[in-house]
Amino acid sequence: MVRWEPDAAGRLRRAALELFAERGVEATTVAAIAERAGVTERTFFRYFRDKREVLFGEQEAFAGLFVDGLRASAPDAAPLEAVAAGLRAASAFFTDDARAGARLRSTVIDAHPGLRERELLKMSDVGDRMAAALRERGVAEPGASLAAKSGIAVFHAAFAAWISPGETRDLPELIGEGLRELRAIAGRNG
Amino acid sequence: MVRWEPDAAGRLRRAALELFAERGVEATTVAAIAERAGVTERTFFRYFRDKREVLFGEQEAFAGLFVDGLRASAPDAAPLEAVAAGLRAASAFFTDDARAGARLRSTVIDAHPGLRERELLKMSDVGDRMAAALRERGVAEPGASLAAKSGIAVFHAAFAAWISPGETRDLPELIGEGLRELRAIAGRNG
């Protein structure tokens, strides 16, 4: 029988981020994470395969938000509009009470070249999947890739702003600003 | 005394690419590369640190072309115009007689996840360096990152077209088309 542990996954995630930030990822053991979260190691492994999965475990669900959001846009939406719908759908993942955790996660990842690469590859994969979804609805290359990758650049810049110290605007607002900035830059006079 | 070997580096590069394509990178030894190029292993190591450096050794020079090209653009050039100058400068690296070798290199890299990641990180680094060069000339964020990353997306798409079977247009022309496509996509109606 599984013992009831209110939000054990959430507590494990917070404990892991704190320890990663304090000691670094290498020096943090699963035992230490479980101890700080007040659960057993066995409980840790019920939720996560290893300590890195605490940082990247929601990868598949996250990538799916972009693609599903894009697919849910009007079939005749212009390519960048469809991409923008994907970005807005993904930004729902990052509510305001997730901002502190996202800041901590980002600090941990930025301190570790291997994790930064993994994060970069994750976003590149999201871009490839949005480009594929655009091609499925008839957008030709290079338009599909350019719209998807420019959209990822907008998301990345908006996310960096969202977790920057003192920033209070929400992520959808920052994404909207990024899209306007992209349109200004790529405008005929840009 | 160093024996004179006409274009030993070029022959080693061609031999390595052929062997990588035939056998895969893992199964190719430096000894086999040297043998096919008709030189000694010692000669190989005079030009390359290891076999992967045959694929990535010109990385620093290549990244520099983008940044130098950007810096050489008019100081009051719009951000995407400055980035376009960087892309055009880098495309000089890829003359028409380099196309067959670039196709082979791309086939080798696409077959190998670790090499694809390294290639992706290389281009991401080029984007970061162009964004930094834009900030140095007063372009604010997120504009600097958006212009640089959209530019990298244009270069990537143009390069993929350049090495696609039967393509005869040159790389600067394909880059010009990509930039027009980006402007169309990000246009007010795009």
Side-chain angles (χ1 to χ4, degrees), chain A residues 78-81 117 120-121 124 142-147 149-150 153-154 156-157 178 180-190, chain B residues 78-81 117 120-121 124 142-147 149-150 153-154 156-157 178 180-190:
Chain A
L80 193 60
E81 271 314 310
E117 290 180 9
L120 197 63
L121 294 170
S124 170
S145 289
L146 293 177
K149 289 183 181 175
S150 302
V154 166
H156 197 269
R180 282 191 293 279
E181 183 76 17
L182 176 66
R183 290 184 189 284
I185 278 170
R188 290 286 157 190
N189 307 318
Chain B
L80 193 60
E81 270 314 310
E117 290 179 11
L120 196 63
L121 294 169
S124 170
S145 289
L146 293 179
K149 289 183 183 177
S150 301
V154 166
H156 197 268
R180 282 191 293 280
E181 183 75 18
L182 176 66
R183 291 185 190 284
I185 279 171
R188 291 287 158 191
N189 307 319

Side-chain angles (χ1 to χ4, degrees), chain B residues 50-89:
Chain B
D50 56 44
K51 62 185 177 181
R52 279 180 177 71
E53 213 199 323
V54 179
L55 295 168
F56 291 100
E58 287 167 317
Q59 191 153 340
E60 189 49 43
F62 176 65
L65 292 174
F66 286 88
V67 177
D68 293 349
L70 190 160
R71 291 209 170 108
S73 67
D76 62 347
L80 193 60
E81 270 314 310
V83 168
L87 305 188
R88 280 190 296 267

Side-chain angles (χ1 to χ4, degrees), chain B residues 30-185:
Chain B
V30 167
I33 296 169
E35 192 193 338
R36 182 165 300 192
V39 301
T40 62
E41 281 191 63
R42 197 193 173 103
T43 299
F44 177 93
F45 288 113
R46 199 181 301 144
Y47 295 101
F48 305 104
R49 206 172 43 239
D50 56 44
K51 62 185 177 181
R52 279 180 177 71
E53 213 199 323
V54 179
L55 295 168
F56 291 100
E58 287 167 317
Q59 191 153 340
E60 189 49 43
F62 176 65
L65 292 174
F66 286 88
V67 177
D68 293 349
L70 190 160
R71 291 209 170 108
S73 67
D76 62 347
L80 193 60
E81 270 314 310
V83 168
L87 305 188
R88 280 190 296 267
S91 69
F93 198 78
F94 300 96
T95 54
D96 204 54
D97 54 333
R99 195 175 329 216
R103 278 185 182 129
L104 204 52
R105 178 180 182 279
S106 175
T107 305
V108 169
I109 286 178
D110 286 349
H112 196 303
L115 299 178
R116 282 179 55 198
E117 290 179 11
R118 188 160 165 186
E119 181 77 354
L120 196 63
L121 294 169
K122 183 183 86 173
M123 292 309 294
S124 170
D125 176 60
V126 171
D128 289 346
R129 289 173 62 178
M130 287 206 292
L134 286 173
R135 287 193 298 272
E136 274 169 29
R137 50 165 66 194
V139 179
E141 288 295 349
S145 289
L146 293 179
K149 289 183 183 177
S150 301
I152 292 295
V154 166
F155 186 86
H156 197 268
F159 193 84
W162 185 65
I163 59 172
S164 65
E167 179 58 62
T168 56
R169 287 168 294 177
D170 66 18
L171 190 54
E173 184 181 342
L174 291 161
I175 286 172
E177 282 187 22
L179 286 164
R180 282 191 293 280
E181 183 75 18
L182 176 66
R183 291 185 190 284
I185 279 171

Side-chain angles (χ1 to χ4, degrees), chain A residues 134-135 138-145, chain B residues 181 185:
Chain A
L134 285 173
R135 289 193 297 273
V139 180
E141 288 296 348
S145 289
Chain B
E181 183 75 18
I185 279 171

